[in-house]
Amino acid sequence: TMMQIITMQAQPFDQFVAAHPYGHYMKTSMWGLLQEKQGCRCERLGLLKDGRLQATALVLTKTTPWIRWQYVP
């Protein structure tokens, strides 16, 4: 079993989120774009297992003069 983490384009990322039973608007690329306007950096990641997409994560990074933090909604 081979697993791989990839960076994803918005459309296939959002299609996976929309089709998933736990999909939520805060897990979409549009939410990431909104957060970028608030000063976050956004990464759309996918987990492939044997070449098939199994999971996605919207990783948001916020940096201030005091701390840098990341979260996945």
Side-chain angles (χ1 to χ4, degrees), residues 10-56:
Q11 185 177 4
F13 183 91
D14 289 338
Q15 287 173 340
F16 184 88
V17 171
H20 197 277
Y22 296 110
H24 191 273
Y25 74 92
M26 290 177 67
K27 297 180 180 192
T28 65
S29 64
M30 292 301 288
W31 183 256
L33 290 173
L34 180 63
Q35 294 305 302
E36 284 181 335
K37 293 185 183 295
Q38 304 297 317
C40 286
R41 187 173 55 102
C42 171
E43 292 180 88
R44 293 178 307 273
L45 301 179
L47 175 68
L48 299 178
K49 180 178 178 184
D50 296 328
R52 295 192 60 208
L53 185 60
Q54 300 295 311
T56 59

mmCIF file of all heavy atoms in Angstrom, residues 10-56:
data_model
loop_
_atom_site.group_PDB
_atom_site.id
_atom_site.type_symbol
_atom_site.label_atom_id
_atom_site.label_comp_id
_atom_site.label_asym_id
_atom_site.label_seq_id
_atom_site.Cartn_x
_atom_site.Cartn_y
_atom_site.Cartn_z
ATOM 1 N N ALA A 10 -8.166 23.607 -6.845
ATOM 2 C CA ALA A 10 -9.417 23.904 -6.144
ATOM 3 C C ALA A 10 -10.583 23.001 -6.580
ATOM 4 O O ALA A 10 -11.325 22.501 -5.733
ATOM 5 C CB ALA A 10 -9.787 25.370 -6.337
ATOM 6 N N GLN A 11 -10.776 22.803 -7.875
ATOM 7 C CA GLN A 11 -11.968 22.074 -8.339
ATOM 8 C C GLN A 11 -12.029 20.626 -7.845
ATOM 9 O O GLN A 11 -13.036 20.227 -7.251
ATOM 10 C CB GLN A 11 -12.084 22.137 -9.857
ATOM 11 C CG GLN A 11 -13.364 21.500 -10.357
ATOM 12 C CD GLN A 11 -13.522 21.613 -11.861
ATOM 13 O OE1 GLN A 11 -12.652 22.108 -12.562
ATOM 14 N NE2 GLN A 11 -14.643 21.147 -12.367
ATOM 15 N N PRO A 12 -11.001 19.805 -8.048
ATOM 16 C CA PRO A 12 -11.105 18.436 -7.539
ATOM 17 C C PRO A 12 -11.149 18.385 -6.008
ATOM 18 O O PRO A 12 -11.809 17.512 -5.426
ATOM 19 C CB PRO A 12 -9.865 17.728 -8.089
ATOM 20 C CG PRO A 12 -8.958 18.795 -8.558
ATOM 21 C CD PRO A 12 -9.789 19.998 -8.829
ATOM 22 N N PHE A 13 -10.486 19.325 -5.362
ATOM 23 C CA PHE A 13 -10.530 19.410 -3.900
ATOM 24 C C PHE A 13 -11.970 19.637 -3.443
ATOM 25 O O PHE A 13 -12.492 18.912 -2.593
ATOM 26 C CB PHE A 13 -9.620 20.559 -3.438
ATOM 27 C CG PHE A 13 -9.531 20.714 -1.948
ATOM 28 C CD1 PHE A 13 -8.553 20.054 -1.229
ATOM 29 C CD2 PHE A 13 -10.408 21.538 -1.261
ATOM 30 C CE1 PHE A 13 -8.462 20.192 0.149
ATOM 31 C CE2 PHE A 13 -10.332 21.686 0.112
ATOM 32 C CZ PHE A 13 -9.345 21.009 0.816
ATOM 33 N N ASP A 14 -12.632 20.642 -4.022
ATOM 34 C CA ASP A 14 -14.011 20.964 -3.633
ATOM 35 C C ASP A 14 -14.994 19.856 -3.999
ATOM 36 O O ASP A 14 -15.963 19.626 -3.274
ATOM 37 C CB ASP A 14 -14.451 22.286 -4.258
ATOM 38 C CG ASP A 14 -13.747 23.481 -3.637
ATOM 39 O OD1 ASP A 14 -13.247 23.368 -2.494
ATOM 40 O OD2 ASP A 14 -13.702 24.535 -4.286
ATOM 41 N N GLN A 15 -14.756 19.161 -5.103
ATOM 42 C CA GLN A 15 -15.622 18.037 -5.478
ATOM 43 C C GLN A 15 -15.559 16.939 -4.425
ATOM 44 O O GLN A 15 -16.582 16.365 -4.061
ATOM 45 C CB GLN A 15 -15.225 17.491 -6.856
ATOM 46 C CG GLN A 15 -15.615 18.392 -7.991
ATOM 47 C CD GLN A 15 -15.069 17.909 -9.327
ATOM 48 O OE1 GLN A 15 -14.110 17.127 -9.395
ATOM 49 N NE2 GLN A 15 -15.668 18.388 -10.409
ATOM 50 N N PHE A 16 -14.363 16.659 -3.931
ATOM 51 C CA PHE A 16 -14.220 15.641 -2.897
ATOM 52 C C PHE A 16 -14.940 16.079 -1.620
ATOM 53 O O PHE A 16 -15.679 15.307 -1.014
ATOM 54 C CB PHE A 16 -12.740 15.369 -2.608
ATOM 55 C CG PHE A 16 -12.528 14.263 -1.616
ATOM 56 C CD1 PHE A 16 -12.437 12.951 -2.034
ATOM 57 C CD2 PHE A 16 -12.429 14.533 -0.262
ATOM 58 C CE1 PHE A 16 -12.250 11.917 -1.115
ATOM 59 C CE2 PHE A 16 -12.247 13.518 0.668
ATOM 60 C CZ PHE A 16 -12.156 12.204 0.233
ATOM 61 N N VAL A 17 -14.739 17.336 -1.212
ATOM 62 C CA VAL A 17 -15.385 17.856 0.002
ATOM 63 C C VAL A 17 -16.908 17.782 -0.132
ATOM 64 O O VAL A 17 -17.606 17.355 0.785
ATOM 65 C CB VAL A 17 -14.923 19.300 0.301
ATOM 66 C CG1 VAL A 17 -15.738 19.928 1.427
ATOM 67 C CG2 VAL A 17 -13.437 19.327 0.657
ATOM 68 N N ALA A 18 -17.440 18.192 -1.286
ATOM 69 C CA ALA A 18 -18.894 18.201 -1.493
ATOM 70 C C ALA A 18 -19.488 16.792 -1.442
ATOM 71 O O ALA A 18 -20.610 16.611 -0.967
ATOM 72 C CB ALA A 18 -19.229 18.862 -2.831
ATOM 73 N N ALA A 19 -18.743 15.803 -1.911
ATOM 74 C CA ALA A 19 -19.253 14.437 -1.949
ATOM 75 C C ALA A 19 -19.065 13.689 -0.632
ATOM 76 O O ALA A 19 -19.680 12.646 -0.425
ATOM 77 C CB ALA A 19 -18.546 13.659 -3.075
ATOM 78 N N HIS A 20 -18.251 14.224 0.256
ATOM 79 C CA HIS A 20 -17.950 13.530 1.507
ATOM 80 C C HIS A 20 -19.051 13.763 2.539
ATOM 81 O O HIS A 20 -19.575 14.870 2.657
ATOM 82 C CB HIS A 20 -16.610 14.014 2.061
ATOM 83 C CG HIS A 20 -16.047 13.105 3.090
ATOM 84 N ND1 HIS A 20 -16.427 13.150 4.407
ATOM 85 C CD2 HIS A 20 -15.136 12.107 2.981
ATOM 86 C CE1 HIS A 20 -15.767 12.227 5.082
ATOM 87 N NE2 HIS A 20 -14.974 11.575 4.237
ATOM 88 N N PRO A 21 -19.441 12.749 3.309
ATOM 89 C CA PRO A 21 -20.519 12.922 4.297
ATOM 90 C C PRO A 21 -20.204 13.955 5.377
ATOM 91 O O PRO A 21 -21.114 14.527 5.958
ATOM 92 C CB PRO A 21 -20.696 11.527 4.908
ATOM 93 C CG PRO A 21 -19.582 10.688 4.421
ATOM 94 C CD PRO A 21 -18.956 11.368 3.254
ATOM 95 N N TYR A 22 -18.923 14.213 5.632
ATOM 96 C CA TYR A 22 -18.551 15.227 6.620
ATOM 97 C C TYR A 22 -18.078 16.519 5.967
ATOM 98 O O TYR A 22 -17.438 17.351 6.614
ATOM 99 C CB TYR A 22 -17.476 14.693 7.573
ATOM 100 C CG TYR A 22 -17.960 13.546 8.408
ATOM 101 C CD1 TYR A 22 -17.472 12.263 8.197
ATOM 102 C CD2 TYR A 22 -18.931 13.734 9.389
ATOM 103 C CE1 TYR A 22 -17.930 11.197 8.959
ATOM 104 C CE2 TYR A 22 -19.400 12.679 10.146
ATOM 105 C CZ TYR A 22 -18.891 11.412 9.929
ATOM 106 O OH TYR A 22 -19.346 10.365 10.685
ATOM 107 N N GLY A 23 -18.409 16.704 4.696
ATOM 108 C CA GLY A 23 -18.042 17.929 3.997
ATOM 109 C C GLY A 23 -18.701 19.145 4.651
ATOM 110 O O GLY A 23 -19.794 19.049 5.219
ATOM 111 N N HIS A 24 -18.041 20.275 4.587
ATOM 112 C CA HIS A 24 -18.527 21.500 5.231
ATOM 113 C C HIS A 24 -17.942 22.684 4.475
ATOM 114 O O HIS A 24 -16.835 22.596 3.947
ATOM 115 C CB HIS A 24 -18.064 21.508 6.692
ATOM 116 C CG HIS A 24 -18.704 22.560 7.526
ATOM 117 N ND1 HIS A 24 -18.189 23.828 7.618
ATOM 118 C CD2 HIS A 24 -19.813 22.525 8.304
ATOM 119 C CE1 HIS A 24 -18.958 24.544 8.437
ATOM 120 N NE2 HIS A 24 -19.952 23.772 8.858
ATOM 121 N N TYR A 25 -18.662 23.814 4.452
ATOM 122 C CA TYR A 25 -18.174 24.974 3.699
ATOM 123 C C TYR A 25 -16.822 25.475 4.222
ATOM 124 O O TYR A 25 -16.028 26.037 3.473
ATOM 125 C CB TYR A 25 -19.210 26.111 3.684
ATOM 126 C CG TYR A 25 -19.337 26.861 4.990
ATOM 127 C CD1 TYR A 25 -18.573 27.993 5.224
ATOM 128 C CD2 TYR A 25 -20.231 26.447 5.965
ATOM 129 C CE1 TYR A 25 -18.685 28.688 6.418
ATOM 130 C CE2 TYR A 25 -20.354 27.130 7.152
ATOM 131 C CZ TYR A 25 -19.572 28.258 7.377
ATOM 132 O OH TYR A 25 -19.686 28.934 8.553
ATOM 133 N N MET A 26 -16.543 25.242 5.505
ATOM 134 C CA MET A 26 -15.260 25.686 6.056
ATOM 135 C C MET A 26 -14.102 24.775 5.641
ATOM 136 O O MET A 26 -12.952 25.025 5.991
ATOM 137 C CB MET A 26 -15.334 25.768 7.582
ATOM 138 C CG MET A 26 -16.209 26.905 8.060
ATOM 139 S SD MET A 26 -16.376 26.977 9.857
ATOM 140 C CE MET A 26 -14.706 27.411 10.325
ATOM 141 N N LYS A 27 -14.401 23.753 4.862
ATOM 142 C CA LYS A 27 -13.368 22.849 4.355
ATOM 143 C C LYS A 27 -13.141 23.044 2.860
ATOM 144 O O LYS A 27 -12.411 22.273 2.249
ATOM 145 C CB LYS A 27 -13.758 21.396 4.648
ATOM 146 C CG LYS A 27 -13.856 21.108 6.133
ATOM 147 C CD LYS A 27 -14.250 19.676 6.384
ATOM 148 C CE LYS A 27 -14.336 19.426 7.878
ATOM 149 N NZ LYS A 27 -14.448 18.025 8.219
ATOM 150 N N THR A 28 -13.767 24.068 2.263
ATOM 151 C CA THR A 28 -13.676 24.296 0.821
ATOM 152 C C THR A 28 -12.563 25.277 0.476
ATOM 153 O O THR A 28 -12.094 26.042 1.314
ATOM 154 C CB THR A 28 -14.999 24.847 0.256
ATOM 155 O OG1 THR A 28 -15.232 26.139 0.820
ATOM 156 C CG2 THR A 28 -16.167 23.920 0.557
ATOM 157 N N SER A 29 -12.202 25.286 -0.800
ATOM 158 C CA SER A 29 -11.186 26.233 -1.268
ATOM 159 C C SER A 29 -11.676 27.681 -1.149
ATOM 160 O O SER A 29 -10.871 28.584 -0.914
ATOM 161 C CB SER A 29 -10.795 25.922 -2.707
ATOM 162 O OG SER A 29 -11.899 26.092 -3.572
ATOM 163 N N MET A 30 -12.984 27.898 -1.280
ATOM 164 C CA MET A 30 -13.519 29.261 -1.132
ATOM 165 C C MET A 30 -13.298 29.782 0.292
ATOM 166 O O MET A 30 -13.007 30.958 0.485
ATOM 167 C CB MET A 30 -15.008 29.301 -1.489
ATOM 168 C CG MET A 30 -15.286 29.057 -2.956
ATOM 169 S SD MET A 30 -14.491 30.256 -4.052
ATOM 170 C CE MET A 30 -15.494 31.678 -3.709
ATOM 171 N N TRP A 31 -13.445 28.922 1.278
ATOM 172 C CA TRP A 31 -13.163 29.319 2.667
ATOM 173 C C TRP A 31 -11.680 29.683 2.798
ATOM 174 O O TRP A 31 -11.323 30.655 3.456
ATOM 175 C CB TRP A 31 -13.535 28.201 3.640
ATOM 176 C CG TRP A 31 -13.322 28.597 5.060
ATOM 177 C CD1 TRP A 31 -12.304 28.210 5.878
ATOM 178 C CD2 TRP A 31 -14.134 29.487 5.828
ATOM 179 N NE1 TRP A 31 -12.438 28.793 7.103
ATOM 180 C CE2 TRP A 31 -13.554 29.590 7.106
ATOM 181 C CE3 TRP A 31 -15.294 30.209 5.558
ATOM 182 C CZ2 TRP A 31 -14.096 30.378 8.108
ATOM 183 C CZ3 TRP A 31 -15.831 30.986 6.567
ATOM 184 C CH2 TRP A 31 -15.227 31.071 7.816
ATOM 185 N N GLY A 32 -10.832 28.917 2.148
ATOM 186 C CA GLY A 32 -9.405 29.219 2.149
ATOM 187 C C GLY A 32 -9.109 30.576 1.542
ATOM 188 O O GLY A 32 -8.296 31.344 2.073
ATOM 189 N N LEU A 33 -9.791 30.904 0.431
ATOM 190 C CA LEU A 33 -9.599 32.220 -0.192
ATOM 191 C C LEU A 33 -10.029 33.345 0.747
ATOM 192 O O LEU A 33 -9.357 34.371 0.839
ATOM 193 C CB LEU A 33 -10.381 32.306 -1.505
ATOM 194 C CG LEU A 33 -9.857 31.451 -2.652
ATOM 195 C CD1 LEU A 33 -10.818 31.509 -3.837
ATOM 196 C CD2 LEU A 33 -8.473 31.900 -3.058
ATOM 197 N N LEU A 34 -11.144 33.146 1.429
ATOM 198 C CA LEU A 34 -11.604 34.148 2.392
ATOM 199 C C LEU A 34 -10.579 34.322 3.512
ATOM 200 O O LEU A 34 -10.270 35.441 3.922
ATOM 201 C CB LEU A 34 -12.962 33.747 2.962
ATOM 202 C CG LEU A 34 -13.560 34.702 3.992
ATOM 203 C CD1 LEU A 34 -13.842 36.060 3.369
ATOM 204 C CD2 LEU A 34 -14.822 34.113 4.583
ATOM 205 N N GLN A 35 -10.032 33.213 3.988
ATOM 206 C CA GLN A 35 -9.040 33.288 5.057
ATOM 207 C C GLN A 35 -7.746 33.950 4.583
ATOM 208 O O GLN A 35 -7.083 34.639 5.358
ATOM 209 C CB GLN A 35 -8.760 31.891 5.619
ATOM 210 C CG GLN A 35 -9.940 31.269 6.328
ATOM 211 C CD GLN A 35 -10.479 32.161 7.428
ATOM 212 O OE1 GLN A 35 -9.769 32.529 8.349
ATOM 213 N NE2 GLN A 35 -11.752 32.520 7.321
ATOM 214 N N GLU A 36 -7.400 33.771 3.304
ATOM 215 C CA GLU A 36 -6.226 34.451 2.757
ATOM 216 C C GLU A 36 -6.411 35.964 2.800
ATOM 217 O O GLU A 36 -5.467 36.700 3.065
ATOM 218 C CB GLU A 36 -5.936 33.983 1.334
ATOM 219 C CG GLU A 36 -5.304 32.613 1.285
ATOM 220 C CD GLU A 36 -4.995 32.135 -0.109
ATOM 221 O OE1 GLU A 36 -5.642 32.594 -1.080
ATOM 222 O OE2 GLU A 36 -4.107 31.274 -0.231
ATOM 223 N N LYS A 37 -7.629 36.431 2.571
ATOM 224 C CA LYS A 37 -7.906 37.873 2.657
ATOM 225 C C LYS A 37 -7.756 38.382 4.084
ATOM 226 O O LYS A 37 -7.575 39.564 4.307
ATOM 227 C CB LYS A 37 -9.294 38.179 2.110
ATOM 228 C CG LYS A 37 -9.414 37.946 0.615
ATOM 229 C CD LYS A 37 -10.757 38.381 0.099
ATOM 230 C CE LYS A 37 -10.898 38.079 -1.368
ATOM 231 N NZ LYS A 37 -10.004 38.806 -2.228
ATOM 232 N N GLN A 38 -7.826 37.464 5.062
ATOM 233 C CA GLN A 38 -7.659 37.814 6.474
ATOM 234 C C GLN A 38 -6.205 37.633 6.934
ATOM 235 O O GLN A 38 -5.923 37.741 8.122
ATOM 236 C CB GLN A 38 -8.588 36.961 7.346
ATOM 237 C CG GLN A 38 -10.047 37.057 6.977
ATOM 238 C CD GLN A 38 -10.586 38.469 7.157
ATOM 239 O OE1 GLN A 38 -10.293 39.131 8.138
ATOM 240 N NE2 GLN A 38 -11.373 38.922 6.200
ATOM 241 N N GLY A 39 -5.321 37.312 5.996
ATOM 242 C CA GLY A 39 -3.905 37.216 6.329
ATOM 243 C C GLY A 39 -3.358 35.815 6.530
ATOM 244 O O GLY A 39 -2.205 35.652 6.909
ATOM 245 N N CYS A 40 -4.166 34.793 6.265
ATOM 246 C CA CYS A 40 -3.691 33.406 6.394
ATOM 247 C C CYS A 40 -3.059 32.952 5.083
ATOM 248 O O CYS A 40 -3.328 33.504 4.026
ATOM 249 C CB CYS A 40 -4.850 32.459 6.714
ATOM 250 S SG CYS A 40 -5.464 32.571 8.381
ATOM 251 N N ARG A 41 -2.250 31.928 5.180
ATOM 252 C CA ARG A 41 -1.759 31.217 4.003
ATOM 253 C C ARG A 41 -2.551 29.921 3.932
ATOM 254 O O ARG A 41 -2.813 29.281 4.950
ATOM 255 C CB ARG A 41 -0.268 30.917 4.132
ATOM 256 C CG ARG A 41 0.344 30.330 2.884
ATOM 257 C CD ARG A 41 1.853 30.221 3.003
ATOM 258 N NE ARG A 41 2.245 29.484 4.179
ATOM 259 C CZ ARG A 41 2.646 28.202 4.171
ATOM 260 N NH1 ARG A 41 2.702 27.535 3.030
ATOM 261 N NH2 ARG A 41 2.974 27.591 5.281
ATOM 262 N N CYS A 42 -2.950 29.523 2.748
ATOM 263 C CA CYS A 42 -3.838 28.375 2.575
ATOM 264 C C CYS A 42 -3.169 27.323 1.699
ATOM 265 O O CYS A 42 -2.606 27.649 0.655
ATOM 266 C CB CYS A 42 -5.128 28.859 1.920
ATOM 267 S SG CYS A 42 -6.226 27.552 1.397
ATOM 268 N N GLU A 43 -3.257 26.060 2.130
ATOM 269 C CA GLU A 43 -2.792 24.929 1.332
ATOM 270 C C GLU A 43 -3.912 23.904 1.244
ATOM 271 O O GLU A 43 -4.545 23.588 2.253
ATOM 272 C CB GLU A 43 -1.580 24.263 1.978
ATOM 273 C CG GLU A 43 -0.335 25.104 1.975
ATOM 274 C CD GLU A 43 0.807 24.351 2.635
ATOM 275 O OE1 GLU A 43 1.513 23.613 1.916
ATOM 276 O OE2 GLU A 43 0.963 24.495 3.857
ATOM 277 N N ARG A 44 -4.149 23.399 0.047
ATOM 278 C CA ARG A 44 -5.126 22.326 -0.165
ATOM 279 C C ARG A 44 -4.339 21.041 -0.376
ATOM 280 O O ARG A 44 -3.619 20.911 -1.358
ATOM 281 C CB ARG A 44 -5.993 22.634 -1.382
ATOM 282 C CG ARG A 44 -6.896 23.822 -1.213
ATOM 283 C CD ARG A 44 -7.696 24.107 -2.480
ATOM 284 N NE ARG A 44 -6.853 24.231 -3.660
ATOM 285 C CZ ARG A 44 -6.278 25.370 -4.055
ATOM 286 N NH1 ARG A 44 -6.464 26.479 -3.386
ATOM 287 N NH2 ARG A 44 -5.532 25.393 -5.147
ATOM 288 N N LEU A 45 -4.490 20.112 0.551
ATOM 289 C CA LEU A 45 -3.740 18.852 0.476
ATOM 290 C C LEU A 45 -4.689 17.680 0.285
ATOM 291 O O LEU A 45 -5.831 17.704 0.757
ATOM 292 C CB LEU A 45 -2.934 18.646 1.757
ATOM 293 C CG LEU A 45 -1.923 19.732 2.101
ATOM 294 C CD1 LEU A 45 -1.219 19.405 3.416
ATOM 295 C CD2 LEU A 45 -0.919 19.937 0.981
ATOM 296 N N GLY A 46 -4.191 16.665 -0.394
ATOM 297 C CA GLY A 46 -4.938 15.434 -0.568
ATOM 298 C C GLY A 46 -4.081 14.245 -0.179
ATOM 299 O O GLY A 46 -2.856 14.286 -0.316
ATOM 300 N N LEU A 47 -4.722 13.213 0.309
ATOM 301 C CA LEU A 47 -4.040 11.970 0.650
ATOM 302 C C LEU A 47 -4.452 10.914 -0.365
ATOM 303 O O LEU A 47 -5.642 10.592 -0.491
ATOM 304 C CB LEU A 47 -4.410 11.511 2.060
ATOM 305 C CG LEU A 47 -3.849 10.146 2.476
ATOM 306 C CD1 LEU A 47 -2.333 10.213 2.621
ATOM 307 C CD2 LEU A 47 -4.500 9.678 3.763
ATOM 308 N N LEU A 48 -3.475 10.411 -1.096
ATOM 309 C CA LEU A 48 -3.713 9.341 -2.061
ATOM 310 C C LEU A 48 -3.273 8.019 -1.458
ATOM 311 O O LEU A 48 -2.217 7.935 -0.820
ATOM 312 C CB LEU A 48 -2.914 9.567 -3.346
ATOM 313 C CG LEU A 48 -3.191 10.821 -4.162
ATOM 314 C CD1 LEU A 48 -2.257 10.868 -5.361
ATOM 315 C CD2 LEU A 48 -4.638 10.887 -4.596
ATOM 316 N N LYS A 49 -4.097 7.008 -1.653
ATOM 317 C CA LYS A 49 -3.730 5.642 -1.274
ATOM 318 C C LYS A 49 -3.874 4.792 -2.518
ATOM 319 O O LYS A 49 -4.965 4.713 -3.092
ATOM 320 C CB LYS A 49 -4.649 5.129 -0.164
ATOM 321 C CG LYS A 49 -4.320 3.718 0.283
ATOM 322 C CD LYS A 49 -5.244 3.299 1.413
ATOM 323 C CE LYS A 49 -4.954 1.870 1.819
ATOM 324 N NZ LYS A 49 -5.908 1.407 2.840
ATOM 325 N N ASP A 50 -2.773 4.234 -2.950
ATOM 326 C CA ASP A 50 -2.744 3.448 -4.188
ATOM 327 C C ASP A 50 -3.323 4.242 -5.362
ATOM 328 O O ASP A 50 -4.069 3.710 -6.187
ATOM 329 C CB ASP A 50 -3.492 2.124 -4.009
ATOM 330 C CG ASP A 50 -2.815 1.227 -2.976
ATOM 331 O OD1 ASP A 50 -1.573 1.289 -2.864
ATOM 332 O OD2 ASP A 50 -3.529 0.477 -2.283
ATOM 333 N N GLY A 51 -3.010 5.542 -5.406
ATOM 334 C CA GLY A 51 -3.432 6.390 -6.518
ATOM 335 C C GLY A 51 -4.844 6.935 -6.430
ATOM 336 O O GLY A 51 -5.271 7.672 -7.302
ATOM 337 N N ARG A 52 -5.594 6.583 -5.380
ATOM 338 C CA ARG A 52 -6.977 7.061 -5.223
ATOM 339 C C ARG A 52 -7.058 8.054 -4.076
ATOM 340 O O ARG A 52 -6.502 7.822 -3.000
ATOM 341 C CB ARG A 52 -7.918 5.890 -4.953
ATOM 342 C CG ARG A 52 -7.994 4.937 -6.161
ATOM 343 C CD ARG A 52 -9.109 3.949 -6.062
ATOM 344 N NE ARG A 52 -10.383 4.667 -5.968
ATOM 345 C CZ ARG A 52 -11.448 4.179 -5.351
ATOM 346 N NH1 ARG A 52 -11.418 2.997 -4.774
ATOM 347 N NH2 ARG A 52 -12.563 4.879 -5.308
ATOM 348 N N LEU A 53 -7.790 9.148 -4.300
ATOM 349 C CA LEU A 53 -7.944 10.176 -3.280
ATOM 350 C C LEU A 53 -8.778 9.637 -2.122
ATOM 351 O O LEU A 53 -9.906 9.175 -2.312
ATOM 352 C CB LEU A 53 -8.613 11.417 -3.892
ATOM 353 C CG LEU A 53 -8.740 12.640 -2.992
ATOM 354 C CD1 LEU A 53 -7.364 13.125 -2.527
ATOM 355 C CD2 LEU A 53 -9.474 13.751 -3.731
ATOM 356 N N GLN A 54 -8.227 9.687 -0.922
ATOM 357 C CA GLN A 54 -8.886 9.160 0.268
ATOM 358 C C GLN A 54 -9.332 10.251 1.236
ATOM 359 O O GLN A 54 -10.288 10.058 1.987
ATOM 360 C CB GLN A 54 -7.932 8.220 1.010
ATOM 361 C CG GLN A 54 -7.486 7.037 0.198
ATOM 362 C CD GLN A 54 -8.628 6.100 -0.135
ATOM 363 O OE1 GLN A 54 -9.403 5.718 0.727
ATOM 364 N NE2 GLN A 54 -8.736 5.727 -1.398
ATOM 365 N N ALA A 55 -8.610 11.377 1.255
ATOM 366 C CA ALA A 55 -8.907 12.439 2.225
ATOM 367 C C ALA A 55 -8.348 13.760 1.710
ATOM 368 O O ALA A 55 -7.446 13.779 0.868
ATOM 369 C CB ALA A 55 -8.283 12.109 3.577
ATOM 370 N N THR A 56 -8.912 14.844 2.214
ATOM 371 C CA THR A 56 -8.402 16.181 1.909
ATOM 372 C C THR A 56 -8.254 16.957 3.203
ATOM 373 O O THR A 56 -8.889 16.638 4.212
ATOM 374 C CB THR A 56 -9.343 16.965 0.972
ATOM 375 O OG1 THR A 56 -10.617 17.090 1.598
ATOM 376 C CG2 THR A 56 -9.472 16.304 -0.391
#
